[in-house]
Amino acid sequence: MKRKAGQDRSITANWRPATLAVRGGTARSEYGETSEALFLTSGYTYDKAADAAARFAGEQEGMTYSRLQNPTVEMLEQRIALLEGAEACRTMATGMAAMTAALLCQLQAGDHLVGGRAAFGSCRWLTDTMLPKFGIATTVVDARDPQAFLDAVRPETKVFFFETPANPTMDVVDLRAVCGIARERGITTVVDNAFATPALQRPMEFGADVTAYSATKMMDGQGRVLAGAVCGSQDFIDNTLLPFTRNTGPTLSPFNAWVVLKGLETLDLRIRRQSESAVAVGRFLEARVPRILHPGLASHPQHDLAMRQMSAAGPIFAFEVADRAQAHGLLDALALIDISNNIGDSRSLMTHPASTTHSGVAEDKRIEMGIGEGMLRLNVGLEDPQDLIDDLDQALRQVGL
Ligand SMILES: *Cc1c(COP(=O)(O)O)cnc(C)c1O
């Protein structure tokens, strides 16, 4: 592999995000291919036994096994790290593998974690069910209020874990305030940045230590593969995350890494266009439904904060109708927008969180999180926004709205 420009930090340091998204991390083989090569290999060979020994001892550069290194996966890791402004990144098989690894690699029995209340269903399962099972105490707080984090801190608190904007209520966390509280106390912040991606929000600029991703969402962006990533300092990635992932194996497949590399090339274009369309669709819905939760609209209680931290509001938002029957009726009446619980896709997709993504969360916790029976979540895709508005208009009429 020729490590040329894309992997030379002295060169990439001068590149802007749009350039990094297309070229960051690229390493060409001896064939000089323009597009990144896909290395579907589980192992590597050595010219001499001494080379194998030297590589295992870390004395010779080179790869040993694809659970640990792969050229295609490494290109993606470098590209994400560059976009994030992080020293290092490791990709994982899924977003949940990334969240699990980012937490378990640094926590042990006796530790305490403070988590955001509004969160992706499986992230809540990690804080509510998995961590306590291993003797790691957790407290869940209203993450919109930085003081709530402060009030929950104990001497043994090691990690703050939250997402912003949060799935699906679009709660926004004041990154500077919450990361500041953590920094002063030696607590590590782990931010699930799936909704915004580094194209719209870079939590490390506000003091976050670790960002974790479902790359399944906007990074792939076309609904094809599952993938995850964890970004942090070189020290965190090498000495805290890697010992955990090398031996537990939540590794991303090179094929999926290649697909996400291709996705990143258009991330900036897609997310800005989808964000603009989401504001247009949101403005239309605002006049037709009882409540809309969209950080890009002035009606969102944290609109100003969201716009200070994010360069656009992203493609996803929630709104409310009367109840589950009306929500399901609206979904069934859609002709263009698909009923689907995925997000970040170039297609517009809508779901009813209480009966899908958050159906595994107990009803009292769902209500506490602000997920009512009438809530719907919409991912605005790359279709013409007027076609989406027309589809919503006819579906709303069918349910009497
Ligand atoms: C989808 C999602 C996850 C989980 O990612 P997978 O790739 O589905 O495992 C975690 N957090 C958020 C905010 C998500 O939207």
Side-chain angles (χ1 to χ4, degrees):
M1 298 287 279
K2 292 197 286 181
R3 292 196 173 248
K4 296 267 295 234
Q7 296 205 342
D8 182 340
R9 287 252 174 167
S10 68
I11 296 173
T12 58
N14 297 318
W15 290 354
R16 293 167 182 84
T19 307
L20 293 172
V22 179
R23 291 181 174 270
T26 302
R28 292 188 168 127
S29 77
E30 71 264 37
Y31 296 110
E33 64 281 352
T34 44
S35 175
E36 297 78 6
L38 171 51
F39 288 90
L40 284 177
T41 183
S42 42
Y44 303 88
T45 59
Y46 314 86
D47 290 338
K48 299 274 184 217
D51 293 327
R55 268 191 229 173
F56 270 77
E59 290 157 5
Q60 185 186 89
E61 230 193 287
M63 306 201 166
T64 56
Y65 188 55
S66 281
R67 171 152 40 78
L68 314 178
Q69 317 95 358
N70 175 277
T72 310
V73 172
E74 193 181 272
M75 285 191 261
L76 176 63
E77 291 173 340
Q78 298 218 7
R79 186 168 296 175
I80 294 174
L82 288 166
L83 288 170
E84 189 68 30
E87 286 176 11
C89 166
R90 278 281 158 158
T91 51
M92 306 289 157
T94 65
M96 285 321 301
M99 303 305 152
T100 305
L103 298 178
L104 277 186
C105 75
Q106 59 177 320
L107 289 165
Q108 60 184 44
D111 288 345
H112 176 243
L113 169 144
V114 184
R117 188 172 74 185
F120 186 69
S122 293
C123 292
R124 274 299 299 261
W125 185 85
L126 295 184
T127 44
D128 295 352
T129 307
M130 185 192 72
L131 294 177
K133 223 169 85 173
F134 293 99
I136 299 152
T138 62
T139 306
V140 168
V141 299
D142 181 346
R144 291 171 297 185
D145 177 14
Q147 182 68 34
F149 281 90
L150 193 57
D151 293 344
V153 168
R154 302 180 191 170
E156 64 274 21
T157 305
K158 292 280 157 42
V159 171
F160 285 174
F161 175 47
F162 57 85
E163 42 187 84
T164 180
N167 188 351
T169 54
M170 308 309 289
D171 286 3
V172 177
V173 180
D174 186 332
L175 284 165
R176 197 179 297 285
V178 173
C179 296
I181 292 167
R183 275 276 154 104
E184 279 169 21
R185 290 161 183 80
I187 295 166
T188 304
T189 39
V190 177
V191 180
D192 178 345
N193 199 33
F195 269 39
T197 82
L200 299 186
Q201 170 176 277
R202 306 209 299 175
M204 287 176 184
E205 290 176 355
F206 300 93
D209 300 298
V210 178
T211 52
Y213 284 99
S214 170
T216 313
K217 310 294 168 54
M218 282 310 297
M219 287 193 182
D220 167 25
Q222 287 141 90
R224 299 166 296 191
V225 299
L226 286 98
V230 180
C231 300
S233 68
Q234 196 76 52
D235 177 53
F236 175 84
I237 297 293
D238 289 352
N239 301 317
T240 304
L241 183 75
L242 262 181
F244 180 85
T245 57
R246 285 171 75 93
N247 298 302
T248 53
T251 313
L252 182 63
S253 111
F255 179 79
N256 289 3
W258 182 83
V259 172
V260 178
L261 272 166
K262 298 290 103 188
L264 286 177
E265 291 182 9
T266 56
L267 172 64
D268 196 71
L269 284 175
R270 284 184 286 104
I271 204 162
R272 285 184 201 285
R273 172 69 181 270
Q274 288 177 243
S275 296
E276 270 172 37
S277 296
V279 169
V281 172
R283 291 217 171 99
F284 162 79
L285 278 173
E286 203 166 27
R288 291 284 287 275
V289 298
R291 187 159 175 245
I292 181 162
L293 298 160
H294 187 319
L297 297 179
S299 58
H300 189 284
Q302 296 169 289
H303 171 68
D304 291 344
L305 172 63
M307 293 301 99
R308 277 203 303 278
Q309 299 181 166
M310 305 170 73
S311 58
I316 304 146
F317 64 88
F319 63 97
E320 281 172 6
V321 295
D323 52 23
R324 181 180 291 217
Q326 196 173 45
H328 278 195
L330 183 65
L331 284 167
D332 292 343
L334 294 167
L336 168 62
I337 299 167
D338 290 307
I339 305 171
S340 173
N341 47 283
N342 197 17
I343 50 170
D345 198 303
S346 50
R347 277 156 282 271
S348 292
L349 309 172
M350 200 151 103
T351 197
H352 177 247
S355 58
T356 60
T357 52
H358 291 72
S359 59
V361 179
E363 198 189 344
D364 57 326
K365 284 193 183 130
R366 255 199 332 259
I367 290 165
E368 197 187 63
M369 284 164 83
I371 302 170
E373 287 289 311
M375 178 177 276
L376 289 157
R377 186 190 69 196
L378 176 60
N379 170 77
V380 175
L382 285 173
E383 303 95 339
D384 189 307
Q386 193 55 49
D387 287 332
L388 302 173
I389 290 170
D390 291 348
D391 190 32
L392 286 164
D393 182 36
Q394 64 81 23
L396 287 163
R397 279 179 213 279
Q398 285 194 50
V399 295
L401 283 168

